[in-house]
mmCIF file of all heavy atoms in Angstrom:
data_model
loop_
_atom_site.group_PDB
_atom_site.id
_atom_site.type_symbol
_atom_site.label_atom_id
_atom_site.label_comp_id
_atom_site.label_asym_id
_atom_site.label_seq_id
_atom_site.Cartn_x
_atom_site.Cartn_y
_atom_site.Cartn_z
ATOM 1 N N ARG A 115 -124.463 -34.381 -146.912
ATOM 2 C CA ARG A 115 -123.030 -34.329 -147.191
ATOM 3 C C ARG A 115 -122.761 -33.760 -148.588
ATOM 4 O O ARG A 115 -121.822 -32.979 -148.787
ATOM 5 C CB ARG A 115 -122.431 -35.731 -147.052
ATOM 6 C CG ARG A 115 -120.982 -35.879 -147.495
ATOM 7 C CD ARG A 115 -120.050 -34.889 -146.854
ATOM 8 N NE ARG A 115 -119.998 -35.028 -145.411
ATOM 9 C CZ ARG A 115 -119.840 -34.025 -144.566
ATOM 10 N NH1 ARG A 115 -119.745 -32.790 -145.031
ATOM 11 N NH2 ARG A 115 -119.792 -34.231 -143.274
ATOM 12 N N GLU A 116 -123.578 -34.123 -149.564
ATOM 13 C CA GLU A 116 -123.409 -33.599 -150.925
ATOM 14 C C GLU A 116 -123.671 -32.102 -150.981
ATOM 15 O O GLU A 116 -122.973 -31.364 -151.684
ATOM 16 C CB GLU A 116 -124.361 -34.329 -151.881
ATOM 17 C CG GLU A 116 -123.993 -35.787 -152.131
ATOM 18 C CD GLU A 116 -125.056 -36.527 -152.921
ATOM 19 O OE1 GLU A 116 -126.148 -35.950 -153.123
ATOM 20 O OE2 GLU A 116 -124.814 -37.682 -153.321
ATOM 21 N N GLN A 117 -124.674 -31.631 -150.224
ATOM 22 C CA GLN A 117 -125.062 -30.231 -150.291
ATOM 23 C C GLN A 117 -124.270 -29.354 -149.329
ATOM 24 O O GLN A 117 -124.192 -28.143 -149.525
ATOM 25 C CB GLN A 117 -126.564 -30.094 -150.011
ATOM 26 C CG GLN A 117 -127.436 -30.771 -151.056
ATOM 27 C CD GLN A 117 -128.914 -30.510 -150.846
ATOM 28 O OE1 GLN A 117 -129.301 -29.894 -149.856
ATOM 29 N NE2 GLN A 117 -129.739 -30.966 -151.758
ATOM 30 N N GLN A 118 -123.709 -29.955 -148.282
ATOM 31 C CA GLN A 118 -122.977 -29.184 -147.270
ATOM 32 C C GLN A 118 -121.590 -29.808 -147.055
ATOM 33 O O GLN A 118 -121.286 -30.315 -145.972
ATOM 34 C CB GLN A 118 -123.757 -29.187 -145.943
ATOM 35 C CG GLN A 118 -125.202 -28.761 -146.066
ATOM 36 C CD GLN A 118 -125.332 -27.250 -146.008
ATOM 37 O OE1 GLN A 118 -124.404 -26.528 -146.333
ATOM 38 N NE2 GLN A 118 -126.472 -26.762 -145.583
ATOM 39 N N PRO A 119 -120.726 -29.773 -148.058
ATOM 40 C CA PRO A 119 -119.429 -30.464 -147.946
ATOM 41 C C PRO A 119 -118.508 -29.879 -146.883
ATOM 42 O O PRO A 119 -117.585 -30.565 -146.429
ATOM 43 C CB PRO A 119 -118.836 -30.295 -149.350
ATOM 44 C CG PRO A 119 -119.497 -29.072 -149.909
ATOM 45 C CD PRO A 119 -120.891 -29.086 -149.348
ATOM 46 N N ASP A 120 -118.737 -28.626 -146.455
ATOM 47 C CA ASP A 120 -117.860 -27.997 -145.478
ATOM 48 C C ASP A 120 -118.294 -28.231 -144.037
ATOM 49 O O ASP A 120 -117.613 -27.797 -143.106
ATOM 50 C CB ASP A 120 -117.790 -26.486 -145.733
ATOM 51 C CG ASP A 120 -117.156 -26.156 -147.075
ATOM 52 O OD1 ASP A 120 -116.323 -26.963 -147.539
ATOM 53 O OD2 ASP A 120 -117.502 -25.122 -147.662
ATOM 54 N N VAL A 121 -119.409 -28.908 -143.843
ATOM 55 C CA VAL A 121 -119.933 -29.137 -142.495
ATOM 56 C C VAL A 121 -119.245 -30.353 -141.862
ATOM 57 O O VAL A 121 -119.003 -31.363 -142.525
ATOM 58 C CB VAL A 121 -121.458 -29.367 -142.540
ATOM 59 C CG1 VAL A 121 -121.984 -29.808 -141.178
ATOM 60 C CG2 VAL A 121 -122.160 -28.091 -142.990
ATOM 61 N N ASP A 122 -118.920 -30.230 -140.591
ATOM 62 C CA ASP A 122 -118.417 -31.363 -139.819
ATOM 63 C C ASP A 122 -119.628 -32.141 -139.316
ATOM 64 O O ASP A 122 -120.208 -31.805 -138.280
ATOM 65 C CB ASP A 122 -117.564 -30.865 -138.655
ATOM 66 C CG ASP A 122 -117.038 -31.999 -137.782
ATOM 67 O OD1 ASP A 122 -117.064 -33.157 -138.244
ATOM 68 O OD2 ASP A 122 -116.602 -31.720 -136.644
ATOM 69 N N LEU A 123 -120.017 -33.160 -140.061
ATOM 70 C CA LEU A 123 -121.195 -33.960 -139.718
ATOM 71 C C LEU A 123 -120.748 -35.120 -138.834
ATOM 72 O O LEU A 123 -120.096 -36.057 -139.297
ATOM 73 C CB LEU A 123 -121.869 -34.474 -140.988
ATOM 74 C CG LEU A 123 -123.137 -35.310 -140.807
ATOM 75 C CD1 LEU A 123 -124.217 -34.516 -140.079
ATOM 76 C CD2 LEU A 123 -123.653 -35.805 -142.155
ATOM 77 N N GLN A 124 -121.097 -35.055 -137.559
ATOM 78 C CA GLN A 124 -120.710 -36.080 -136.597
ATOM 79 C C GLN A 124 -121.895 -37.009 -136.351
ATOM 80 O O GLN A 124 -122.935 -36.574 -135.863
ATOM 81 C CB GLN A 124 -120.250 -35.430 -135.290
ATOM 82 C CG GLN A 124 -119.013 -34.554 -135.453
ATOM 83 C CD GLN A 124 -118.553 -33.932 -134.156
ATOM 84 O OE1 GLN A 124 -119.122 -34.184 -133.081
ATOM 85 N NE2 GLN A 124 -117.512 -33.123 -134.209
ATOM 86 N N LEU A 125 -121.722 -38.279 -136.686
ATOM 87 C CA LEU A 125 -122.796 -39.270 -136.599
ATOM 88 C C LEU A 125 -122.524 -40.215 -135.432
ATOM 89 O O LEU A 125 -121.416 -40.724 -135.284
ATOM 90 C CB LEU A 125 -122.889 -40.052 -137.909
ATOM 91 C CG LEU A 125 -123.086 -39.190 -139.165
ATOM 92 C CD1 LEU A 125 -123.104 -40.064 -140.407
ATOM 93 C CD2 LEU A 125 -124.353 -38.365 -139.061
ATOM 94 N N GLN A 126 -123.556 -40.446 -134.636
ATOM 95 C CA GLN A 126 -123.394 -41.251 -133.425
ATOM 96 C C GLN A 126 -124.481 -42.307 -133.335
ATOM 97 O O GLN A 126 -125.643 -41.986 -133.079
ATOM 98 C CB GLN A 126 -123.446 -40.349 -132.183
ATOM 99 C CG GLN A 126 -123.247 -41.116 -130.877
ATOM 100 C CD GLN A 126 -123.189 -40.183 -129.691
ATOM 101 O OE1 GLN A 126 -122.726 -39.051 -129.796
ATOM 102 N NE2 GLN A 126 -123.667 -40.647 -128.549
ATOM 103 N N PRO A 127 -124.136 -43.576 -133.558
ATOM 104 C CA PRO A 127 -125.139 -44.633 -133.362
ATOM 105 C C PRO A 127 -125.436 -44.813 -131.877
ATOM 106 O O PRO A 127 -124.527 -44.847 -131.043
ATOM 107 C CB PRO A 127 -124.451 -45.876 -133.955
ATOM 108 C CG PRO A 127 -122.985 -45.592 -133.849
ATOM 109 C CD PRO A 127 -122.836 -44.105 -133.985
ATOM 110 N N ALA A 128 -126.712 -44.905 -131.545
ATOM 111 C CA ALA A 128 -127.106 -45.054 -130.141
ATOM 112 C C ALA A 128 -128.549 -45.527 -130.085
ATOM 113 O O ALA A 128 -129.332 -45.303 -131.007
ATOM 114 C CB ALA A 128 -126.949 -43.731 -129.387
ATOM 115 N N ALA A 129 -128.888 -46.174 -128.985
ATOM 116 C CA ALA A 129 -130.268 -46.587 -128.758
ATOM 117 C C ALA A 129 -131.160 -45.345 -128.631
ATOM 118 O O ALA A 129 -130.695 -44.251 -128.308
ATOM 119 C CB ALA A 129 -130.366 -47.441 -127.505
ATOM 120 N N SER A 130 -132.447 -45.540 -128.867
ATOM 121 C CA SER A 130 -133.373 -44.405 -128.874
ATOM 122 C C SER A 130 -133.379 -43.646 -127.549
ATOM 123 O O SER A 130 -133.338 -42.410 -127.527
ATOM 124 C CB SER A 130 -134.786 -44.893 -129.207
ATOM 125 O OG SER A 130 -134.843 -45.381 -130.527
ATOM 126 N N LEU A 131 -133.430 -44.358 -126.431
ATOM 127 C CA LEU A 131 -133.465 -43.690 -125.130
ATOM 128 C C LEU A 131 -132.181 -42.907 -124.880
ATOM 129 O O LEU A 131 -132.217 -41.809 -124.316
ATOM 130 C CB LEU A 131 -133.692 -44.722 -124.018
ATOM 131 C CG LEU A 131 -135.078 -45.387 -123.992
ATOM 132 C CD1 LEU A 131 -135.162 -46.402 -122.860
ATOM 133 C CD2 LEU A 131 -136.184 -44.343 -123.841
ATOM 134 N N GLU A 132 -131.046 -43.451 -125.303
ATOM 135 C CA GLU A 132 -129.781 -42.736 -125.145
ATOM 136 C C GLU A 132 -129.775 -41.455 -125.982
ATOM 137 O O GLU A 132 -129.274 -40.408 -125.543
ATOM 138 C CB GLU A 132 -128.621 -43.636 -125.561
ATOM 139 C CG GLU A 132 -128.412 -44.852 -124.654
ATOM 140 C CD GLU A 132 -127.325 -45.768 -125.178
ATOM 141 O OE1 GLU A 132 -126.677 -45.407 -126.184
ATOM 142 O OE2 GLU A 132 -127.116 -46.835 -124.585
ATOM 143 N N GLN A 133 -130.329 -41.544 -127.175
ATOM 144 C CA GLN A 133 -130.397 -40.355 -128.026
ATOM 145 C C GLN A 133 -131.262 -39.268 -127.398
ATOM 146 O O GLN A 133 -130.901 -38.084 -127.431
ATOM 147 C CB GLN A 133 -130.950 -40.729 -129.406
ATOM 148 C CG GLN A 133 -130.018 -41.535 -130.274
ATOM 149 C CD GLN A 133 -130.596 -41.685 -131.665
ATOM 150 O OE1 GLN A 133 -130.783 -40.709 -132.386
ATOM 151 N NE2 GLN A 133 -130.898 -42.914 -132.048
ATOM 152 N N LEU A 134 -132.399 -39.669 -126.863
ATOM 153 C CA LEU A 134 -133.293 -38.683 -126.252
ATOM 154 C C LEU A 134 -132.587 -37.932 -125.123
ATOM 155 O O LEU A 134 -132.697 -36.707 -124.999
ATOM 156 C CB LEU A 134 -134.557 -39.361 -125.738
ATOM 157 C CG LEU A 134 -135.555 -39.803 -126.815
ATOM 158 C CD1 LEU A 134 -136.672 -40.618 -126.195
ATOM 159 C CD2 LEU A 134 -136.125 -38.602 -127.559
#
Side-chain angles (χ1 to χ4, degrees):
R115 172 53 62 214
E116 290 172 351
Q117 296 186 355
Q118 308 275 25
D120 296 332
V121 172
D122 178 17
L123 181 60
Q124 297 181 3
L125 304 178
Q126 181 175 328
S130 294
L131 291 179
E132 294 175 5
Q133 289 187 63
L134 286 173

